[in-house]
Every structure is written in structure tokens, then in C-alpha cells.
Amino acid sequence: MATTQLPRTSAKRSTVALKYSMAVSGLIMLGYLLVHMYGNLKFFQGQEAFDSYLAGLEDLFTPYLPHGGLLWIMRVVLLAALLVHVYAAMTLWQRNKVAAGYVGGKRYHTTKNRTGVQRSYASFTMRWGGIILLLFIIGHVAQMMPNWLSPGGASDSKFERVVNGFELWWVVLLYTIGLVAVGFHLWHGFWSALTTLGQNRSATRLESWSTWASTFLAALICFGFLIVPFAIFFLGAGS
């Protein structure tokens, strides 16, 4: 008797594949954030050290790579990770919306799971936090590019552009809002990525080591990035 096989779902449309793609792309961007944070802290070593560390990356692995080759590889990998992350997030959100019973823009009502750990503030703000984060990335890249967007005054020195920008209260405020969004996104996202990749085996979230790891990482990155603008604005560093 012949059997009929159901059509196979392509990998790019598979929910499992999308979750894995989102987890891996998120971890790639997290790795970049840690390296970027380390580079930012060179601000406290002075203008020469801060301005020269990026130039050092441009010549890394030469002559095996051309001048600036490593930076372009990093840019391409990060852009690909960002696009994959956004695509996976939007696709999964749309599928979850359908599965949750949204009709006419409203979700069905239930009295269950009011205090479940999945209803944390970070998990509920992942989508809007991600949008804020995307706008923050665009603005931050424009500010750091040579004289594209230069609040406080343009300069050929990255050190001077950072000081000029973070001497303005509204720049510090917007930067802080962006970093808070980063922190909440990481807090839930890192835990979720480890869970997706099978590294979270605890019965509850509070018992999981990944919960404490995600909290530590979120706090570390928020503190590591905010210490420079706060030092400039409140303590006059770099002036």
C-alpha cells in the first residue's frame, strides 16, 4: 500500500530554524557589543589611544587582508546578522500573533498565567524595544561616522566628536534611553537564545544560571557604555 508524504517545510520557513537563526544572530551581535564596549573604554586612556584603536583594526591581519579588510568583514557579518535577526523576529511575532487568537486587532482574554515568568517586562517589550534599539543603532552609527551627524560640533577626531556630542544633555538622554532598551533586550534575549540552543535545563527561570548570566551581561553592557557619556557630561572628562 502506497503512503503519501506530507510536503516538507523549507528551512527558511521553519519556526525552529527561525528561532535558531534569531538566537545565533543575536549572539553574534552580543559579541560585537562586548568588543565595542571594550574599545569605547579606551576613551579614558586619552585622545591618541582612542583615535588610534580603530586605525589599528584596519591593518589587522595584513598582508593577508587588504587595508580595512577586517572592518569590512565585520560590517558585512553584523549587517547580515541584523537582517536575519529582524526578519526572524518579525516572522515569529506574526506567527505568534495568529496562534494567540488575535481577531480584529484584539487578543482573546484569559485569567490564566497572570504572573508567569514569560510575562516579564522585558519579554513584553522585546518588539518595541527592538524598534527603539534599531533606531538607536542607526543614530549612533551616523554620529560616529566622520561628520555625518555631529551634535555639538564636527571634528576629524572621533574622541572630539564623542566629547562634543555628550556635552549636550539631550544627546546623553537619548543615548541613555537607547542603552536601557539594549539592556532589557539583552536581559530577555540572551536567556531566550540559550534556551533555544538547549543550554537552559532548569525547571524554572529563577533556578536557571542563564537568568543570572543574562542579568549580569545586561548590567555590564549598560554600565560599560554609559560610563563614558556620564563621565563627559557630569564630570567634564575629555574637555
Side-chain angles (χ1 to χ4, degrees), residues 94-192:
Q94 183 63 34
R95 292 181 183 180
N96 182 66
K97 184 178 178 181
V98 173
Y102 279 89
V103 178
K106 295 183 179 180
R107 186 179 180 179
Y108 68 87
H109 295 280
T110 179
T111 57
K112 298 181 178 180
N113 286 335
R114 288 183 177 272
T115 58
V117 294
Q118 74 275 19
R119 298 179 66 89
S120 67
Y121 178 78
S123 66
F124 270 99
T125 56
M126 285 297 283
R127 185 172 77 254
W128 293 110
I131 294 173
I132 294 173
L133 184 53
L134 183 60
L135 294 174
F136 169 71
I137 291 172
I138 294 172
H140 183 56
V141 169
Q143 181 189 2
M144 291 299 102
M145 293 298 288
N147 302 325
W148 279 24
L149 180 65
S150 305
S155 174
D156 292 331
S157 166
K158 182 179 178 182
F159 183 92
E160 291 180 359
R161 291 199 302 274
V162 169
V163 173
N164 293 343
F166 288 133
E167 285 181 335
L168 303 175
W169 69 267
W170 59 271
V171 175
V172 176
L173 178 61
L174 290 176
Y175 192 80
T176 302
I177 292 173
L179 259 298
V180 170
V182 170
F184 277 116
H185 205 80
L186 280 175
W187 179 41
H188 182 74
F190 184 66
W191 176 87
S192 182

